[in-house]
Amino acid sequence: MPGYLPPEKRSPLQQLGDILWGVYTQLRTIVMIFSHTFRKRDVIPYPEVKPYMPPRYRGRIVLTRDPDGDERCVACNLCAVACPVGCISLQKTERPEDGRWYPEWFRINFSRCIFCGLCEEACPTTAIQLTPDYELAEYKRQSLVYEKEDLLISGTGKYPDYNFYRVAGMSIEGKPKGAAEKESAPVDIKSLLP
Amino acid sequence: MLDWFNAHPHLVDSLIESVKAIVVLLVTVVVAAWMIWLERRLLGLWQDRYGPNRVGPFGLGQVIADMIKIFFKEDWIPPFVDKLTFIVAPAIAMGLMLLMFALVPVTPTWGVAHINVGLLVFLALAGLEVYAVMLGGWASNSKYSLLGGLRVTAQTVSYEVFMGISLMGIVMLAGSFDLRHIVEYQAANGWNIIPQFFGFCAFVTAAIAVVHRTPFDLPEAESELAAGFHTEYSGMKFGMFFVGEYVGIVLVSAITTVLFFGGWSGPGVESHAWLAFPWFAFKCLCFMSGFILLRASLPRPRYDQMMAAGWKVCLPLSLINLLGTAAVVVAGAHGA
């Protein structure tokens, strides 16, 4: 402040002005606070009114199915490797009728999970996905260990059209090499023809 | 049975008065407890949130829940305290506040004590109120409590000086220390807030300081003194300090209403006598909300600033008000 003097060096008139100015600022504060009576509240009464969660919010983890209703997960273990806290564990097995890989069991310990989303990024089949559900509270810690039947959902999640086995080169029963979408027929290495 | 009552009219009268006194006492305590809810809801409103709204309708049951909690807390007396003083202090805090409420003329027919020097008694009891926090702070035998107690002593003594002076203008205008007479004077001649505006400003400032409410809550400044004079208190003894503070707010609101805003008088009271209490309660409620608004908006001043505001601003202001009122009263007396 230019020309500022400490109160004891100011003239009586200036001090009177200071007092009046102080009273004015205090009254102004009171009026401003009172105006909040008519202001919208910043909070929502939570359990009755839920906040909006964007679709890509990183909440409870699910395992999705492809458009045909089969499990997307091929038990590649990339999510378990990517997980920084190591809360994902699974066991691979094969379907005897067509040779598709799938997890025999799949376990996520949500008491460890930090909801970083790295498993979702690592997943080559978009099987593992994070959802906007954040209400995971439990009374027992053991209840936070989700098994495959807790994780698996019936829908496709965020990528409704994606089907890994339809686009990947992996051959299964009923879809030999070269039969996938945009996949060219396999090269016959024993032929000399171009 | 009836004969006996007819034979002892004084006894019946005193019985009725006792019942009235108990009703006033209970209503005061209930209103003070309810103030806690009001304060939390209003602070919530002014901070753009809700405040307690879960227990019962509008969260009104929160007070009951708090009461149950505080009653069941361990009534712990630390081993290093001065026991007797430690126990007496909260009793003084709440007892004196309730005693002061006895002086308030609620309606033309209600009111516990009708003393013709009611205002003086009020000032005297307000002066005694300092003992509660002073003794509490001293008996606690802890540095925070002692500092809080010392602060409140200096603060109350300083502010009580001009609290009395700021009210003398009213006494001059009404020509009486009798609170009932002051209300009747205002009903006839208009509310004191207009001729005694500066007295009102000084009195409200002093009243907040004397009941040590925010912004003058330096004795219990959390950021510096833990909880100030009641740092060592817990359970119901803390509760008594707490309720005492809220009774103090109700009391100060009631006294301000009586002294400056015409007490029970208001439009329609002349023809409908039952309107007296609603008017009184409404005015009190406005002041109670006003004190909460002050808490919501004003920060706590530094200690020397608070002292300077008391001695250098409010005391001269109330003295000027006193002299001005005296001049007007004398001029009026000579002119008439």
Side-chain angles (χ1 to χ4, degrees):
Chain A
M1 209 190 304
Y4 174 78
L5 288 170
E8 62 273 14
K9 286 186 186 157
R10 287 159 81 83
S11 71
L13 204 63
Q14 279 174 320
Q15 288 189 27
L16 188 68
D18 288 348
I19 290 170
L20 291 178
W21 174 254
V23 169
Y24 160 71
T25 55
Q26 300 276 289
L27 291 177
R28 181 172 172 272
T29 309
I30 293 171
V31 170
M32 281 169 73
I33 297 292
F34 185 76
S35 76
H36 277 256
T37 312
F38 313 105
R39 195 86 60 91
K40 190 177 171 289
R41 284 175 162 108
D42 284 338
V43 292
I44 53 165
Y46 159 61
E48 289 87 29
V49 181
K50 299 259 161 74
Y52 168 73
M53 284 291 145
R56 290 200 271 176
Y57 185 85
R58 300 201 306 266
R60 181 168 61 88
I61 298 171
V62 294
L63 287 174
T64 56
R65 292 171 184 275
D66 62 26
D68 302 333
D70 285 323
E71 283 174 47
R72 270 176 174 160
C73 180
V74 295
C76 67
N77 259 312
L78 281 176
C79 50
V81 172
C83 182
V85 291
C87 68
I88 304 176
S89 50
L90 63 146
Q91 175 64 54
K92 176 231 148 190
T93 188
E94 269 183 45
R95 216 154 60 177
E97 59 265 31
D98 57 0
R100 259 177 87 133
W101 289 17
Y102 72 97
E104 185 184 354
W105 47 265
F106 197 110
R107 192 175 292 144
I108 297 180
N109 183 354
F110 277 108
S111 68
R112 291 261 167 171
C113 181
I114 57 171
F115 301 96
C116 61
L118 289 184
C119 49
E120 184 177 18
E121 283 190 41
C123 185
T125 66
T126 71
I128 193 162
Q129 290 180 14
L130 279 77
T131 62
D133 179 17
Y134 49 89
E135 290 171 323
L136 289 164
E138 292 284 353
Y139 285 99
K140 282 193 224 136
R141 182 167 281 245
Q142 200 56 40
S143 311
L144 282 167
V145 179
Y146 279 40
E147 295 295 335
K148 188 174 157 187
E149 54 269 29
D150 309 318
L151 295 164
L152 200 60
I153 62 167
S154 53
T156 56
K158 279 178 266 192
Y159 309 96
D161 302 324
Y162 185 72
N163 188 334
F164 174 74
Y165 278 104
R166 217 182 283 158
V167 294
M170 173 86 178
S171 69
I172 52 168
E173 186 68 31
K175 197 209 78 172
K177 278 277 181 199
E181 281 170 26
K182 294 179 189 163
E183 188 190 15
S184 42
V187 177
D188 183 0
I189 52 169
K190 292 181 180 160
S191 163
L192 286 172
L193 291 171
Chain B
M1 191 71 182
L2 267 177
D3 291 342
W4 185 86
F5 279 122
N6 286 332
H8 302 85
H10 292 295
L11 205 64
V12 174
D13 278 353
S14 55
L15 208 65
I16 290 172
E17 288 304 315
S18 309
V19 170
K20 278 185 174 181
I22 291 168
V23 168
V24 170
L25 179 82
L26 286 180
V27 169
T28 310
V29 174
V30 168
V31 168
W34 177 74
M35 264 290 286
I36 300 169
W37 172 84
L38 181 74
E39 170 153 48
R40 293 178 61 186
R41 282 310 298 259
L42 283 180
L43 285 180
L45 179 68
W46 287 321
Q47 293 166 0
D48 293 339
R49 56 189 175 85
Y50 284 90
N53 61 350
R54 297 278 159 189
V55 193
F58 305 108
L60 273 167
Q62 188 72 39
V63 173
I64 300 163
D66 287 347
M67 282 289 167
I68 292 171
K69 183 201 116 185
I70 213 159
F71 271 117
F72 280 88
K73 273 189 152 184
E74 185 186 1
D75 200 6
W76 165 248
I77 299 175
F80 48 81
V81 301
D82 188 274
K83 269 210 186 69
L84 180 67
T85 330
F86 189 80
I87 294 167
V88 164
I92 297 178
M94 197 170 157
L96 275 181
M97 285 294 182
L98 290 173
L99 199 58
M100 277 193 264
F101 215 91
L103 302 164
V104 176
V106 180
T107 69
T109 47
W110 281 75
V112 181
H114 185 190
I115 303 171
N116 58 5
V117 287
L119 195 55
L120 278 185
V121 179
F122 165 73
L123 291 171
L125 290 175
L128 286 177
E129 183 63 32
V130 68
Y131 280 106
V133 264
M134 199 177 84
L135 292 179
W138 175 79
S140 296
N141 210 355
S142 106
K143 52 183 175 293
Y144 296 126
S145 305
L146 185 63
L147 282 171
L150 286 176
R151 278 189 181 189
V152 82
T153 313
Q155 172 179 326
T156 314
V157 168
S158 309
Y159 275 72
E160 254 163 18
V161 172
F162 63 83
M163 182 156 105
I165 295 174
S166 65
L167 294 181
M168 288 310 115
I170 291 176
V171 175
M172 265 187 242
L173 285 178
S176 168
F177 279 106
D178 186 343
L179 290 170
R180 262 173 208 286
H181 190 273
I182 290 171
V183 173
E184 279 152 15
Y185 167 83
Q186 290 179 76
N189 298 323
W191 295 353
N192 276 334
I193 174 72
I194 295 164
Q196 287 294 312
F197 180 72
F198 293 108
F200 168 75
C201 296
F203 174 74
V204 167
T205 316
I208 299 167
V210 167
V211 297
H212 35 89
R213 275 283 296 181
T214 359
F216 293 124
D217 64 339
L218 293 109
E220 45 202 288
E222 292 100 344
S223 48
E224 309 148 26
L225 293 181
F229 63 88
H230 57 63
T231 306
E232 305 296 339
Y233 281 90
S234 62
M236 205 48 220
K237 290 204 203 62
F238 168 75
M240 281 172 86
F241 271 127
F242 200 63
V243 174
E245 188 187 317
Y246 283 93
V247 175
I249 305 163
V250 179
L251 174 81
V252 164
S253 306
I255 289 283
T256 316
T257 306
V258 165
L259 291 176
F260 291 97
F261 284 83
W264 65 74
S265 65
V269 174
E270 299 291 319
S271 45
H272 306 279
W274 60 270
L275 272 173
F277 182 70
W279 267 114
F280 180 80
F282 172 71
K283 291 173 187 172
C284 280
L285 185 67
C286 287
F287 275 105
M288 279 147 63
S289 311
F291 285 126
I292 296 168
L293 179 60
L294 287 184
R295 177 176 172 178
S297 43
L298 298 184
R300 187 188 308 127
R302 220 166 53 209
Y303 196 70
D304 61 318
Q305 290 172 332
M306 189 210 60
M307 279 300 184
W311 289 107
K312 292 182 186 168
V313 180
C314 287
L315 180 64
L317 186 71
S318 50
L319 281 172
I320 291 167
N321 178 56
L322 180 71
L323 288 175
T325 314
V328 169
V329 168
V330 169
H334 279 280

